[in-house]
Amino acid sequence: MSPTTPWWRSAVIYQVYIRSFADHNGDGVGDIAGIRSRLPYLKSLGVDAIWINPWYKSPMADHGYDVADFRAIDPRFGTLADAERLITEAHEHGIRVIPDIVPNHTSDQHAWFQAALAAGPGSAERERYVFRPGRGPDGTEPPNDWVSCFGGPAWTRLPDGDWYLHLFAPQQPDLNWQHPEVRAEFESILRFWFSRGVDGFRIDVAHGLVKHPELPDLPPRRDEADAVGPVRHHVDHPHWDRDEVHEIYRAWRRVADEFPGDRCFVAEAWADTPERLAAYVRRDGLHTAFNFDFLMSSWDAKGLRAVIDDSLAMLGAVGAPATWVLSNHDVMRHPSRYGRRSVRRWVANESYRPEGPLDLVLGTRRARAAALLMLALPGGAYVYQGEELGLPEVEDLPESALQDPTWERSGHTDRGRDGCRVPIPWSGQAAPYGFSPAGATADPWLPQPGDWAALSVEAQTGDPASMLELYRTALRIRRDHPALGDGTMTWLDAPEGVLSFTREPGFLCVVNLSAEPYELPAHSELLLAGGPLKNGRLEPDQAVWLAL
């Protein structure tokens, strides 16, 4: 990569789910001081930046995605001074910092929404949100048939008769992005944090800000998978991925460009096609967008290759890099997705329901191969905390421990996302595995499994067969090898079920997704293997990096 190429085109960014990363004060919830204490670990892992899930002041109806004050840190996590210290110390370790920003909605405790409640129907204060009278002779029916991503209707009625829109929980009222004050406020928030040294933002629900001005009912569903949430979108969907959203991000790009040092945005944008996704990352728009098609692909060579080809073609056409991802705080961890005989493709914001019993040995083997595939592809990549430890989904959390709003809103039919958010293990033989300090009186906010001692950072460090050392080695090679990161790739002929591609100069990645061992092509050096090779053959569900 040329020294003038922006860092974000090749970056490996580590997602810190702050509640579950490191608890410094012993209250059972991760915090900013905990992140600061683990910066040497993140440096040793070899990541370029950290994305931190929301740390703003919040009543925590949706674990921080209901923001009451975008310029204040929630006391559970620390103070604004703590955040500024973290940014400074991360930069001293060569790690950039990207906070989350949540522009689609605020908390119902935000000063603006409280003012809207007090001011009453028809007031200027209510115009910053989406308030409407109800339907029916006495206004008792919602203004339209939109549904919340967490289940149930997307409208709540107030005692004064007005209804307000919330595409997520009722505690998360949607903002009206047609209002100039909303646009000005968020540009001010961006400048507030950019001036404190953050290197960019991850944009929550980036595809959801603009609603059709007439708020029409939803179009007829194309299939059952379109039942809930931001799924495969329709032409002119009334609230997802509307063309007008790009005007907002062109303005945000101008704000980022006011500041030195290649500040960047990454969009959480669920789009219907690679073409629709590419619209977010045109040259005057956002810098990058998560490649969820890759995350949602089946474990299938043909399907993966199609996703890779489509993504690179569409993003390349607008000059943007791909941004690959295997797991995050909203989806089942990939060793548990891959640890089933059938790994089906699924669609955005559908709950992934695994089919059949879990074979974690199989899932872990595939996860190792998937990591080498992802980190060899052109562009950048995101690593979700604990992914480098091979953590599985915790599928047997007791119902009494579940906290995701989806659990309650679905009438206890969808367990929600808590299984991928369990605090990660650092050391020791029993919970809290070093997540909280010795002598802490509070248990971790979600219970950790009793068999995670072997998965801790301490247990895996120095073990060449461990997932952690695989990631450390892969990230070191990726950083040092001139072929890796941003750039191009060339597919090689390979039997069905095998993915084989080169990156120039002199790098070859082979992934065997077939049921048979594969004879490796001629090479000068074995750089890294996901598992042991037998007689120069790559076993099923394994991957290898070779020098040519």
Side-chain angles (χ1 to χ4, degrees):
M1 188 176 70
S2 121
T4 56
T5 303
W7 66 275
W8 43 265
R9 294 191 68 92
S10 297
V12 176
I13 299 178
Y14 185 94
Q15 180 188 353
V16 173
Y17 191 70
I18 186 168
R19 297 177 69 86
S20 300
F21 186 65
D23 165 25
H24 192 263
N25 64 4
D27 66 356
V29 176
D31 44 44
I32 293 172
I35 303 173
R36 288 172 55 209
S37 74
R38 299 298 185 179
L39 286 171
Y41 167 75
L42 294 168
K43 183 174 177 63
S44 78
L45 184 59
V47 298
D48 300 295
I50 52 176
W51 152 35
I52 303 171
N53 288 90
W55 53 7
Y56 312 106
K57 188 175 180 186
S58 167
M60 299 290 164
D62 184 23
H63 291 333
Y65 282 94
D66 50 318
V67 179
D69 184 348
F70 287 93
R71 295 178 182 81
I73 297 293
D74 193 87
R76 296 170 185 81
F77 301 142
T79 64
L80 185 58
D82 290 332
E84 291 170 335
R85 273 194 290 271
L86 170 63
I87 294 163
T88 299
E89 291 172 12
H91 289 165
E92 289 167 358
H93 283 84
I95 296 170
R96 292 176 166 88
V97 178
I98 299 175
D100 225 307
I101 193 162
V102 189
N104 181 68
H105 46 262
T106 69
S107 165
D108 61 354
Q109 301 304 305
H110 190 284
W112 275 10
F113 195 73
Q114 289 296 304
L117 293 181
S123 61
E125 288 83 352
R126 290 202 175 181
E127 290 177 9
R128 296 172 180 146
Y129 293 88
V130 185
F131 282 89
R132 290 291 187 277
R135 291 200 282 204
D138 48 3
T140 57
E141 295 169 25
N144 64 29
D145 67 354
W146 296 2
V147 292
S148 160
C149 293
F150 293 155
W155 295 91
T156 290
R157 194 182 195 197
L158 297 173
D160 59 32
D162 256 5
W163 295 75
Y164 71 88
L165 177 69
H166 51 86
L167 290 176
F168 294 88
Q171 299 91 336
Q172 294 168 291
D174 279 50
L175 287 160
N176 170 21
W177 273 88
Q178 310 294 357
H179 198 299
E181 283 184 33
V182 173
R183 299 195 180 206
E185 168 68 357
F186 273 86
E187 290 176 26
S188 169
I189 291 164
L190 296 177
R191 290 187 179 95
F192 177 89
W193 287 104
F194 279 139
S195 68
R196 278 159 179 78
V198 304
D199 300 280
F201 288 92
R202 178 262 189 188
I203 306 169
D204 184 58
V205 197
H207 58 296
L209 276 52
V210 175
K211 281 73 175 175
H212 190 297
E214 293 166 19
L215 303 183
D217 282 347
L218 293 169
R221 294 208 309 265
R222 287 195 306 226
D223 58 56
E224 278 309 303
D226 278 8
V228 176
V231 293
R232 291 303 186 188
H233 309 140
H234 310 268
V235 176
D236 199 31
H237 190 283
H239 63 70
W240 295 134
D241 189 30
R242 296 188 60 76
D243 290 339
E244 302 93 325
V245 79
H246 303 299
E247 177 193 332
I248 296 166
Y249 297 134
R250 283 192 285 273
W252 284 25
R253 176 65 177 257
R254 291 192 291 271
V255 172
D257 290 346
E258 293 170 14
F259 293 85
D262 283 333
R263 314 295 174 108
C264 80
F265 294 109
V266 59
E268 180 205 26
W270 298 90
D272 198 18
T273 62
E275 294 96 325
R276 296 292 300 176
L277 185 68
Y280 287 83
V281 288
R282 290 178 290 213
R283 291 182 192 278
D284 62 344
L286 302 175
H287 304 81
T288 60
F290 292 120
N291 194 324
F292 291 124
D293 277 350
F294 182 72
L295 180 154
M296 295 186 298
S297 177
S298 56
W299 185 247
D300 166 78
K302 188 176 176 185
L304 279 166
R305 178 166 173 167
V307 165
I308 292 164
D309 284 342
D310 289 349
S311 301
L312 292 176
M314 293 306 161
L315 294 166
V318 295
T323 301
W324 311 101
V325 58
L326 290 167
S327 280
N328 63 37
H329 66 293
D330 284 332
V331 300
M332 174 178 271
R333 285 187 176 273
H334 60 272
S336 296
R337 296 200 314 269
Y338 293 152
R340 264 76 185 193
R341 288 294 158 193
S342 165
V343 184
R344 62 183 178 81
R345 172 165 178 71
W346 92 101
V347 294
N349 260 44
E350 170 199 333
S351 280
Y352 184 80
R353 299 193 187 279
E355 298 168 4
L358 173 63
D359 178 348
L360 194 53
V361 173
L362 172 68
T364 301
R365 188 164 67 242
R366 288 174 169 173
R368 293 171 70 91
L372 294 192
L373 169 62
M374 175 176 80
L375 293 170
L377 290 171
Y382 277 74
V383 173
Y384 177 44
Q385 66 177 46
E387 172 181 330
E388 79 279 15
L389 305 177
L391 295 187
E393 186 82 357
V394 182
E395 297 182 55
D396 59 354
L397 284 170
E399 291 185 358
S400 60
L402 298 178
Q403 300 188 33
D404 188 347
T406 303
W407 171 241
E408 292 297 336
R409 296 273 298 171
S410 68
H412 294 183
T413 59
D414 185 334
R415 289 174 62 87
R417 302 161 292 177
D418 291 325
C420 64
R421 300 174 173 186
V422 173
I424 65 173
W426 291 93
S427 60
Q429 295 302 305
Y433 302 111
F435 165 71
S436 297
T441 52
D443 292 330
W445 72 280
L446 286 172
Q448 299 159 298
D451 59 357
W452 270 17
L455 296 175
S456 73
V457 172
E458 179 184 64
Q460 296 194 44
T461 296
D463 174 3
S466 71
M467 185 75 84
L468 176 56
E469 294 301 344
L470 180 79
Y471 268 79
R472 278 184 172 145
T473 304
L475 292 180
R476 187 189 75 244
I477 294 170
R478 183 186 157 98
R479 196 167 52 247
D480 294 344
H481 201 295
L484 296 179
D486 196 22
T488 59
M489 61 180 282
T490 304
W491 292 108
L492 302 181
D493 288 336
E496 188 175 349
V498 176
L499 297 176
S500 179
F501 60 91
T502 56
R503 307 278 319 270
E504 294 301 330
F507 178 92
L508 172 64
C509 177
V510 184
V511 189
N512 185 3
L513 296 96
S514 76
E516 301 297 326
Y518 173 64
E519 192 81 35
L520 287 176
H523 56 277
S524 61
E525 183 188 354
L526 171 66
L527 297 174
L528 184 59
L533 301 177
K534 295 181 182 172
N535 304 318
R537 290 156 65 132
L538 188 63
E539 294 295 304
D541 294 315
Q542 295 200 349
V544 68
W545 288 0
L546 304 171
L548 297 178

